[in-house]
Amino acid sequence: MGLSSLTFPFGDDIRWFTAQAPQVLPTQPLKDWLLSEGSLTQKLKLCCDQFEVIVLGEQWITADPREWHGPEQQLWLREVLLQLDGTPWVFARTLMSPQLLQQQQQLEQLGQRPLGELLFSDLNFVAGDIDICHIEAPSSVNDLASALKQTASTTLWGRRRHFSYQQHPLIVAEVFLPAAEAAIKRT
């Protein structure tokens, strides 16, 4: 991957809208993937023989009020690629409060383990609303797709899910890269 010339983090310029009152949504079957209430990790694993998490970066960042609505000033950021059979399908961006990391220290030490498995196996994590985004170039995520040798001929689509753990928030955003969109359309 030619990611060395790009700067982490990648997803800080994404703008979201609520899935309950969407401005516009893609056609099926991608629409179903965006609005799916279940674990995206599980859904992706059904589409491949080998599933991998590639960590792009993790660090503390200053909370951006366009992305985070809580009182926290600092957040833990994790950005990864979800790769199926050697091809990156999804760019994922996770934001967590310091209080959540204190209670769930395993979140800061996930490494190459998928976050989705933890979120959907621990009943203390409560899934909330889904937001949607459509990303048009120029953007950092489009640059990331290009560096992965994936050309976005149209808009990239993504979803963001709000979770809580004992009232401590966590946000997981997942953007479908061009390879994923092409494969999903073939199903």
Side-chain angles (χ1 to χ4, degrees), residues 43-112:
K43 197 166 184 151
L44 291 170
K45 284 183 172 186
L46 295 173
C47 297
C48 67
D49 293 320
Q50 183 180 8
F51 178 87
E52 295 175 84
V53 175
I54 298 173
V55 179
L56 298 173
E58 296 177 301
Q59 69 183 29
W60 289 101
I61 62 166
T62 301
D64 182 336
R66 295 172 296 177
E67 187 173 35
W68 186 265
H69 302 293
E72 296 82 8
Q73 298 297 309
Q74 294 290 305
L75 302 171
W76 181 250
L77 167 69
R78 170 182 162 94
E79 290 186 341
V80 302
L81 292 173
L82 304 180
Q83 186 165 278
L84 282 65
D85 296 328
T87 301
W89 271 43
V90 174
F91 163 75
R93 176 180 172 88
T94 304
L95 296 171
M96 299 173 230
S97 70
Q99 297 84 357
L100 176 58
L101 282 179
Q102 287 175 353
Q103 288 196 357
Q104 285 289 314
Q105 293 177 355
Q106 61 187 334
L107 289 170
E108 195 174 359
Q109 301 165 351
L110 281 170
Q112 294 184 301

Side-chain angles (χ1 to χ4, degrees), residues 3 6 10 13 18 62 72-73 94 96 127 145 157 168 172 174:
L3 301 179
L6 299 178
F10 299 100
D13 60 354
T18 179
T62 301
E72 296 82 8
Q73 298 297 309
T94 304
M96 299 173 230
W157 289 93
H168 298 298
V172 179
E174 299 147 331

Side-chain angles (χ1 to χ4, degrees), residues 37-42 45 78 80 82 92-97 100-101 104 106-108 110 113-130 159-166 168-174:
E37 297 277 330
S39 168
L40 181 63
T41 299
Q42 284 305 111
K45 284 183 172 186
R78 170 182 162 94
V80 302
L82 304 180
R93 176 180 172 88
T94 304
L95 296 171
M96 299 173 230
S97 70
L100 176 58
L101 282 179
Q104 285 289 314
Q106 61 187 334
L107 289 170
E108 195 174 359
L110 281 170
R113 291 176 302 166
L115 173 62
E117 288 181 354
L118 175 63
L119 294 177
F120 286 91
S121 64
D122 185 335
L123 297 178
N124 291 307
F125 282 99
V126 178
D129 294 336
I130 296 175
R159 67 190 213 149
R160 177 175 72 174
R161 190 91 188 256
H162 300 263
F163 290 86
S164 66
Y165 180 91
Q166 298 177 356
H168 298 298
L170 175 141
I171 298 175
V172 179
E174 299 147 331

